[in-house]
Amino acid sequence: MRPLRCAAVTLWAALLIGTAASAAPKRVAYALILANNTGLEPKQAPLRYADDDGARYYELLSSRTKETVLLSVLDAETQALHPGLAAQTRPPTRKALKEALGQLNARMAEDRQRGDDPVLYFVFTGHGKRGPAGEGMVSLLDGPFTRTDLYSQVIAPSSAAFIHLIVDACDSYFFVNSRGALPVAPAQAQAVQGLLAARELGRYPHVGAVLSTTREQESHEWSAIRSGVFSHQVLSALAGAADVNADGRVEYSELRAFVAAANQGVEDVRGRLEVSIQPPAQDRSAALVDLGDRARLGFLLLPTGLEGRLWIEDSRGRRVAEFNKERERSVVLGLPPGYGYFLRAFGREASFKFARPGAVVDAASLSWRDNSVAARGAVDDAFRDKLFSVPFGPRFYAGYMASLGQTPVAPEQGPDLTP
């Protein structure tokens, strides 16, 4: 089995490095991340980890994009974990957002003129709520940013061929979608319906949405991982943990099934996520990430035979990816180089590091040792014991997609390594 595994590693490395060069037209990605701990009104307690999630999205996406902008005010602990990042951020205000959108739209318009396909990630982590008329909004440092603002300032004028919206906030569904009766008199209904039509995803088939709630619902933070639970799951998935057919791409259906598996074991309804994940209508198979887009990552290969709940921590103590692996499934994770890492399971760990960007580490070659790290503070049992308790892989994915009556991704096409 050893030569087979080595051959698989070599082929994976060649695939990941060569995909971007062979793609036509060229996919050029940009990211705009807003992360704000403060709320829209005094009764909303400040969040602890929205800025941490913003920093994590920055690390994940900046390794895969041409340009990434982070609008946030990082607290002292987050700045200590991410030295130098604060100098690259601006406060999450309406003015800063407008300037960042103008800058990125100009870049993407130039890409279009060259015949390339620009892609925009628009990410928000922080507080959200519904206004008196039912319109969703999120909190910037200087006030609310509404669904009307989202469509008129971000979506409608964008130069992007595709937009991936990722929103982790209370009532995030209503920040992108409307639901319920129009709060106006009958004489005004026709005019308002015309306005609302411009604020629906159906008018923008190039836009996909990954939202932390499907109804009026709070988002959850978890101190053990210094993160919002939903953002942690999305970041884990986009690192490669959701790539069920091992093609190096994470599609919306794979992300949706991965999040479903991660939360299936949570019995406490207060901790159970009810998310909304909608692919772009223009291409329902559009990839949220493609590990072959950039070679500025290191790659960890988790071969068949390794199974169970696993997570990756870096040398800063940050849990950067987590999943429950089916035994028959192989997984490749793309992680930023430059840090030491630990592959962990309950009671044991193995350390590794990437020698350079593009390097591949085979988990089968790692040396495991016992580990008895104490829990850091009080952790809700529903998250500690039940989150990621259900294995994710082809079996879960096939059953989940069948339950939805939706078309799955193409089956795994493993390389023929026979002599």
Side-chain angles (χ1 to χ4, degrees), residues 89-149:
T89 67
R90 287 177 279 168
T93 63
R94 295 180 70 91
K95 179 182 177 182
L97 175 55
K98 181 179 179 180
E99 292 175 349
L101 286 168
Q103 170 185 322
L104 295 180
N105 276 328
R107 303 274 199 277
M108 291 188 290
E110 294 172 356
D111 294 328
R112 287 271 202 170
Q113 291 177 352
R114 285 192 294 267
D116 296 334
D117 282 343
V119 174
L120 175 66
Y121 296 92
F122 183 86
V123 181
F124 178 86
T125 65
H127 273 298
K129 61 171 289 187
R130 295 181 73 185
E135 182 176 34
M137 59 188 71
V138 296
S139 173
L140 299 184
L141 205 59
D142 54 353
F145 190 78
T146 67
R147 187 174 74 245
T148 298
D149 295 327

Side-chain angles (χ1 to χ4, degrees), residues 36-359:
N36 185 24
N37 284 335
T38 62
L40 291 161
E41 51 191 42
K43 71 178 183 180
Q44 287 182 312
L47 295 170
R48 295 180 62 188
Y49 304 124
D51 60 328
D52 292 88
D53 287 334
R56 286 184 63 189
Y57 277 111
Y58 182 89
E59 283 195 346
L60 177 86
L61 294 175
S62 62
S63 297
R64 306 174 182 208
T65 59
K66 185 176 182 179
E67 186 171 352
T68 297
V69 177
L70 174 60
L71 303 183
S72 185
V73 177
L74 307 179
D75 63 26
E77 290 183 357
T78 306
Q79 291 191 32
L81 287 169
H82 301 269
L85 182 56
Q88 302 177 53
T89 67
R90 287 177 279 168
T93 63
R94 295 180 70 91
K95 179 182 177 182
L97 175 55
K98 181 179 179 180
E99 292 175 349
L101 286 168
Q103 170 185 322
L104 295 180
N105 276 328
R107 303 274 199 277
M108 291 188 290
E110 294 172 356
D111 294 328
R112 287 271 202 170
Q113 291 177 352
R114 285 192 294 267
D116 296 334
D117 282 343
V119 174
L120 175 66
Y121 296 92
F122 183 86
V123 181
F124 178 86
T125 65
H127 273 298
K129 61 171 289 187
R130 295 181 73 185
E135 182 176 34
M137 59 188 71
V138 296
S139 173
L140 299 184
L141 205 59
D142 54 353
F145 190 78
T146 67
R147 187 174 74 245
T148 298
D149 295 327
L150 173 68
Y151 281 88
S152 64
Q153 298 181 34
V154 179
I155 296 176
S158 178
S159 303
F162 283 97
I163 300 176
H164 302 300
L165 301 176
I166 302 175
V167 184
D168 187 358
C170 297
D171 299 339
S172 59
Y173 179 89
F174 300 98
F175 179 56
V176 177
N177 303 281
S178 63
R179 180 184 291 170
L182 295 172
V184 296
Q188 299 173 291
Q190 185 173 358
V192 174
Q193 284 172 342
L195 176 63
L196 291 179
R199 294 185 284 151
E200 295 293 342
L201 281 185
R203 292 284 297 271
Y204 303 95
H206 64 297
V207 180
V210 177
L211 312 175
S212 61
T213 63
T214 58
R215 55 184 174 86
E216 223 167 338
Q217 183 183 35
E218 293 184 357
S219 294
H220 300 280
E221 295 187 315
W222 186 15
S223 61
I225 55 175
R226 291 185 56 87
S227 179
V229 173
F230 178 71
S231 282
H232 178 57
Q233 294 173 3
V234 172
L235 287 158
S236 298
L238 299 187
D243 178 17
V244 75
N245 62 347
D247 65 352
R249 305 165 75 251
V250 175
E251 298 181 16
Y252 278 78
S253 69
E254 292 174 302
L255 171 61
R256 185 175 177 180
F258 179 85
V259 172
N263 293 290
Q264 184 165 303
V266 178
E267 298 170 355
D268 189 331
V269 295
R270 294 169 299 177
R272 190 179 302 147
L273 301 185
E274 297 181 25
V275 307
S276 174
I277 298 177
Q278 303 168 259
Q282 181 176 326
D283 182 2
R284 301 186 69 83
S285 298
L288 278 151
V289 294
D290 188 332
L291 294 182
D293 277 349
R294 296 287 174 184
R296 290 181 287 163
L297 299 167
F299 300 99
L300 175 66
L301 171 65
L302 300 157
T304 58
L306 186 63
E307 65 179 326
R309 185 172 175 180
L310 303 163
W311 60 95
I312 313 296
E313 277 192 18
D314 63 23
S315 54
R316 300 167 295 179
R318 298 296 309 272
R319 195 178 301 193
V320 297
E322 188 167 4
F323 48 95
N324 193 322
K325 181 178 172 297
E326 288 183 357
R327 182 179 181 85
E328 298 83 2
R329 173 193 178 213
S330 61
V331 176
V332 173
L333 300 178
L335 302 169
Y339 299 104
Y341 288 99
F342 296 89
L343 172 60
R344 289 200 162 121
F346 289 113
R348 60 185 188 138
E349 65 181 17
S351 62
F352 65 95
K353 190 171 185 177
F354 301 112
R356 63 188 182 283

